[in-house]
Amino acid sequence: MFQPVYLDHNATTRLDPAVLAAMMPLLEGQCGNASSRHDYGRRARLAVDEARQRVAAVVNAHPTEVIFTSGGSEANNLFLKGAAATMKPGTLAVSAVEHPCVIKPAEQLARQGWVLREIAVDGDGRVRADDFAEVLLTRPRLLSVMLANNETGVIQDVPALASAARSTGAWFHSDAVQALGKRAIDFRSLNAAGVHALTLSAHKAHGPKGAAALIIDKRVEVQPQIAGGGHERGLRSGTENVPAIVGFGIAAELAAQRLAESSARVQALRQRLEAGLNELGAMIFAVNAEKLPNTTYFAFANIDGETLVGKLDREGFAVASGSACSSANPEPSHVLRAMGVAPEFARGAVRVSLGGDNTETEIDQFIHALRATVGRLQGLTAIAV
Amino acid sequence: MFQPVYLDHNATTRLDPAVLAAMMPLLEGQCGNASSRHDYGRRARLAVDEARQRVAAVVNAHPTEVIFTSGGSEANNLFLKGAAATMKPGTLAVSAVEHPCVIKPAEQLARQGWVLREIAVDGDGRVRADDFAEVLLTRPRLLSVMLANNETGVIQDVPALASAARSTGAWFHSDAVQALGKRAIDFRSLNAAGVHALTLSAHKAHGPKGAAALIIDKRVEVQPQIAGGGHERGLRSGTENVPAIVGFGIAAELAAQRLAESSARVQALRQRLEAGLNELGAMIFAVNAEKLPNTTYFAFANIDGETLVGKLDREGFAVASGSACSSANPEPSHVLRAMGVAPEFARGAVRVSLGGDNTETEIDQFIHALRATVGRLQGLTAIAV
């Protein structure tokens, strides 16, 4: 079967064969419920515990700081709403470029008496220090600034922001879903700087869908959002998804082992890609910011991003026109709007997010297809005008 | 490797090989995010849509009434807290024998201004009609009564209760997690009787962990508990766990196909088991109630259930001393307490929950091991006294 070239690794990634191999015994025979007190249950519990140690080790956290959830969206909701539920409503501030699964729960809290403050970013998608300083003057109780953006790949200086926020006493959370496997993550050092919680997700780093984690400083009081049998230290009830959790542990370990080589490799591919894009006259967003090695976000003036993604799909290239999760929504990206990108470019946004399996040949083929497609679309535009 | 005899199917079940086979293409290569607008994404979306149709068909619901979640606990929390969030606090009532993932969110709501009323059950674990009538006089806004109990297997007359509750205008939810695969479930007919939502879970019916559903009448307004990208009609955000959802669809279909044969088979095994238990002088709980065909809950006076489960585990039999999810908690079962079971029997509770793979030989071996173990423990007790 024809397999299109996959250039959408920020949406999800292929399950690594070694990860699947580690999951198979749990899918095939070892069917226990990790809460059961018999041989099947104990083996399931052991598998979950080992995975917890692996995930903790990869991000330099203690295993007891790892709360497994079903996904990054759940972990972000758990932190924001779970911590908010233990406080009197006050101000919460999240960066304007957060993923919807941070912005939407923040908006839910705003309807329950919290004051929601969005933190402005500059034209390259970085949190503006001056606006962040203003936010701190409002004495926020909760802050959330992502480690790396899913659309632009822009990396925020989270340690500096968290350090600046320490005096406010706010709990500082960072969505690290896009960082896992693309950048080293050290919770102990982030925690020392003032970060109290991190979100990770397996399926963004060649792990399975259905497993993720909130890494959390135990001083943060959090109310469970899924209450019940008291799993995950009472913070997240529900039968553990043992195979997915096991896969998460292995995927995190492999991601850490391969990080240096894989980053260098995708960075080189990205440079090749961006050289080609520059030659075609594309505008590349957030060029001056530090970015994830694998992500390029670009547009051609007056060429609709959705249209371009559709044409490239038919040519055999899988790319995104915006973050995958909001692609049901045809509005221009809120990330680009926050960056002040002109609408004629924002509507054209296309994201290429590379993975360790991509090759130079694929990049060259992609640029070739893009040149032809853009040429045709620009020709049509010229005729239409 | 030695495989103990698995008699704990209400805790979780083995993944059916046919279910795993259907999941494998999604685990091996088809890695798309169902929200992505390219070939990989469309294939993932198609797989999710097909699974939604399968699950809907099995319980006679419309596919748009199926909201996929990561588990039964999440679905129960979503209904209770999601519906409550759209109303002014009032009374909510749940049966005294609900699973902790119904009772705990109800208790959370009680801390937010709701009045929580537990509905009493009789000595056989059935909701008491007189107490239910009293509850209705309090004009509850939310009601939750499970279809079948996880510990006792007792089936509630949900259609009759829902019909009686119609005039109150309350939303009526039923946790059907233990019913799937053990009893026919017809949402259309339950809905006509006055049931507005049902919870199902894949892993209790030979499907994968990590997929479940809230089946919900679209007139019920619900606030998402995991907010974000707007998946599942905006009611449950987060990247769809495509392989698990696909497995759920197939597992539900197989469960329905095998229901008649499998129920008859496990019912016959249970009769054999209960004959043996009666011979040994066990007290069997909820003997007069209609029960799931696979569940027997029993005790021997003054023999601790945890101890017995531990001894049986060493003999090669996997059974439960209470519901798996609360087995971190050594307190006697809240279900038996609600039934008025004397503490010396409640502390001894052991649950056997059979599956389609169990055999007569296994039952005979179990009774044989139980006879020897109980004999030894009673001997010790006699000496100790």
Side-chain angles (χ1 to χ4, degrees):
Chain A
M1 191 171 59
F2 169 70
Q3 288 280 354
V5 176
Y6 191 71
L7 301 171
D8 197 13
H9 292 80
N10 287 10
T12 193
T13 57
R14 175 192 287 264
L15 194 56
D16 190 288
V19 173
L20 180 56
M23 293 168 65
M24 286 309 292
L26 289 309
L27 291 167
E28 281 180 326
Q30 293 174 33
C31 67
N33 184 318
S35 297
S36 294
R37 300 198 162 185
H38 47 59
D39 188 63
Y40 294 93
R42 276 192 305 276
R43 279 188 276 158
R45 171 59 53 209
L46 193 67
V48 169
D49 286 348
E50 283 178 2
R52 196 184 306 280
Q53 284 161 17
R54 286 179 210 273
V55 170
V58 165
V59 297
N60 197 17
H62 192 271
T64 58
E65 292 171 323
V66 177
I67 308 299
F68 286 124
T69 69
S70 70
S73 294
E74 187 194 333
N76 285 339
N77 276 259
L78 171 57
F79 175 81
L80 288 172
K81 298 194 277 190
T86 69
M87 307 176 187
K88 285 205 164 43
T91 294
L92 85 156
V94 308
S95 92
V97 297
E98 293 301 307
H99 190 276
C101 67
V102 166
I103 293 179
K104 296 288 176 186
E107 288 174 351
Q108 287 183 320
L109 290 170
R111 288 192 289 274
Q112 289 164 32
W114 284 74
V115 175
L116 172 58
R117 172 70 152 83
E118 281 204 350
I119 311 160
V121 297
D122 65 17
D124 283 301
R126 291 168 298 208
V127 163
R128 278 173 48 181
D130 58 344
D131 196 56
F132 192 70
E134 267 188 41
V135 165
L136 296 184
L137 295 178
T138 67
R139 311 290 299 176
R141 296 188 179 164
L142 292 170
L143 287 164
S144 188
V145 178
M146 67 208 321
L147 271 187
N149 185 270
N150 48 308
E151 295 184 29
T152 59
V154 169
I155 290 158
Q156 303 295 345
D157 191 355
V158 165
L161 297 170
S163 296
R166 292 195 77 147
S167 62
T168 63
W171 296 130
F172 193 112
H173 166 260
S174 186
D175 178 353
V177 163
Q178 290 295 344
L180 185 66
K182 300 171 193 154
R183 210 179 149 76
I185 303 172
D186 185 325
F187 182 64
R188 206 70 295 124
S189 114
L190 287 166
N191 190 228
V195 175
H196 303 101
L198 283 184
T199 295
L200 305 174
S201 176
H203 81 94
K204 304 286 190 187
H206 300 284
K209 296 178 178 77
L214 183 67
I215 312 292
I216 189 163
D217 182 326
K218 278 184 275 181
R219 291 172 298 177
V220 184
E221 201 191 333
V222 169
Q223 289 231 345
Q225 298 302 291
I226 303 179
H231 307 76
E232 299 296 312
R233 295 200 283 113
L235 295 180
R236 200 282 180 184
S237 291
T239 298
E240 292 90 341
N241 187 345
V242 186
I245 287 171
V246 165
F248 184 14
I250 302 294
E253 215 166 66
L254 289 174
Q257 283 165 14
R258 294 171 182 168
L259 183 62
E261 194 229 320
S262 154
S263 306
R265 192 176 146 59
V266 295
Q267 179 119 21
L269 290 176
R270 192 185 71 181
Q271 278 161 3
R272 193 177 186 94
L273 169 68
E274 294 192 347
L277 289 171
N278 283 327
E279 221 174 89
L280 297 180
M283 167 183 264
I284 299 174
F285 301 119
V287 272
N288 302 309
E290 190 187 0
K291 291 192 291 180
L292 292 174
N294 78 319
T295 308
T296 296
Y297 205 29
F298 63 91
F300 293 90
N302 299 314
I303 291 184
D304 178 61
E306 287 281 325
T307 306
L308 190 48
V309 165
K311 300 266 183 212
L312 289 166
D313 175 47
R314 285 188 281 282
E315 300 283 328
F317 299 92
V319 298
S321 61
S323 74
C325 295
S326 54
S327 55
N329 184 347
E331 292 214 351
S333 150
H334 72 286
V335 173
L336 295 177
R337 205 168 55 230
M339 289 162 62
V341 171
E344 66 266 31
F345 284 105
R347 276 194 298 268
V350 172
R351 179 186 70 188
V352 171
S353 47
L354 304 166
D357 290 345
N358 289 132
T359 62
E360 289 191 354
T361 308
E362 287 173 344
I363 300 300
D364 295 346
Q365 288 168 339
F366 175 73
I367 288 290
H368 183 79
L370 187 64
R371 183 190 310 273
T373 307
V374 168
R376 275 197 302 276
L377 290 170
Q378 282 173 334
L380 288 174
T381 310
I383 292 162
V385 171
Chain B
M1 191 170 59
F2 170 70
Q3 288 280 353
V5 176
Y6 192 72
L7 301 171
D8 197 12
H9 292 80
N10 287 9
T12 193
T13 56
R14 175 193 286 266
L15 194 56
D16 190 288
V19 173
L20 181 56
M23 292 168 65
M24 285 310 292
L26 288 312
L27 291 166
E28 281 180 326
Q30 292 175 34
C31 67
N33 184 318
S35 297
S36 294
R37 298 197 163 185
H38 46 58
D39 189 63
Y40 293 92
R42 275 192 304 276
R43 279 189 275 159
R45 171 60 52 208
L46 193 67
V48 169
D49 286 347
E50 282 179 3
R52 196 183 306 278
Q53 282 161 18
R54 286 179 210 273
V55 170
V58 164
V59 296
N60 197 17
H62 192 270
T64 58
E65 292 171 323
V66 177
I67 307 298
F68 285 125
T69 69
S70 69
S73 294
E74 187 194 332
N76 285 340
N77 275 259
L78 171 57
F79 176 80
L80 288 172
K81 298 195 278 190
T86 69
M87 307 175 189
K88 285 205 163 49
T91 295
L92 85 158
V94 309
S95 93
V97 296
E98 293 302 308
H99 191 276
C101 67
V102 166
I103 293 179
K104 296 288 175 186
E107 288 174 353
Q108 287 183 320
L109 290 170
R111 289 192 290 274
Q112 290 163 32
W114 283 76
V115 175
L116 172 57
R117 173 69 153 82
E118 281 204 350
I119 311 160
V121 298
D122 65 18
D124 284 300
R126 291 168 297 208
V127 163
R128 278 172 48 181
D130 57 344
D131 196 56
F132 192 71
E134 267 187 40
V135 164
L136 295 185
L137 295 177
T138 68
R139 310 293 297 178
R141 294 188 181 165
L142 291 171
L143 288 163
S144 187
V145 178
M146 67 207 323
L147 270 187
N149 186 269
N150 48 309
E151 295 185 30
T152 58
V154 168
I155 290 158
Q156 304 295 346
D157 191 352
V158 166
L161 298 171
S163 294
R166 292 195 77 147
S167 61
T168 65
W171 296 130
F172 193 112
H173 166 260
S174 185
D175 179 352
V177 162
Q178 290 295 345
L180 186 66
K182 301 169 193 154
R183 208 176 152 78
I185 303 171
D186 185 325
F187 182 64
R188 206 72 291 127
S189 112
L190 287 166
N191 190 229
V195 175
H196 303 100
L198 282 184
T199 294
L200 305 175
S201 176
H203 80 96
K204 304 287 190 187
H206 300 284
K209 297 177 176 79
L214 183 68
I215 311 293
I216 189 162
D217 181 325
K218 278 184 276 181
R219 289 170 300 175
V220 183
E221 201 191 335
V222 169
Q223 289 231 346
Q225 299 301 291
I226 303 179
H231 308 74
E232 299 296 312
R233 295 201 283 114
L235 294 180
R236 200 281 179 184
S237 290
T239 298
E240 292 90 342
N241 187 345
V242 186
I245 288 171
V246 165
F248 184 13
I250 302 294
E253 214 167 67
L254 289 175
Q257 282 164 14
R258 294 171 183 166
L259 183 62
E261 194 229 320
S262 155
S263 306
R265 193 174 145 62
V266 297
Q267 178 118 21
L269 290 177
R270 192 186 72 181
Q271 279 162 1
R272 193 177 187 96
L273 169 69
E274 294 191 347
L277 289 172
N278 284 326
E279 221 175 90
L280 297 180
M283 168 183 265
I284 299 175
F285 302 119
V287 273
N288 302 309
E290 190 188 0
K291 290 192 292 181
L292 292 175
N294 78 318
T295 308
T296 296
Y297 204 30
F298 63 91
F300 293 91
N302 299 315
I303 291 185
D304 178 60
E306 287 281 324
T307 307
L308 190 48
V309 165
K311 301 266 183 213
L312 289 167
D313 176 47
R314 284 188 282 282
E315 301 283 329
F317 298 92
V319 298
S321 60
S323 76
C325 295
S326 54
S327 55
N329 183 347
E331 294 213 349
S333 150
H334 73 285
V335 173
L336 295 177
R337 204 167 58 230
M339 288 162 62
V341 172
E344 65 267 30
F345 284 104
R347 275 194 299 268
V350 171
R351 180 187 68 189
V352 170
S353 47
L354 304 166
D357 290 347
N358 289 132
T359 63
E360 288 191 355
T361 309
E362 288 173 344
I363 299 300
D364 295 346
Q365 288 168 340
F366 174 74
I367 287 290
H368 183 79
L370 187 65
R371 183 189 311 272
T373 307
V374 167
R376 277 197 302 275
L377 289 170
Q378 282 173 335
L380 288 174
T381 310
I383 292 162
V385 171

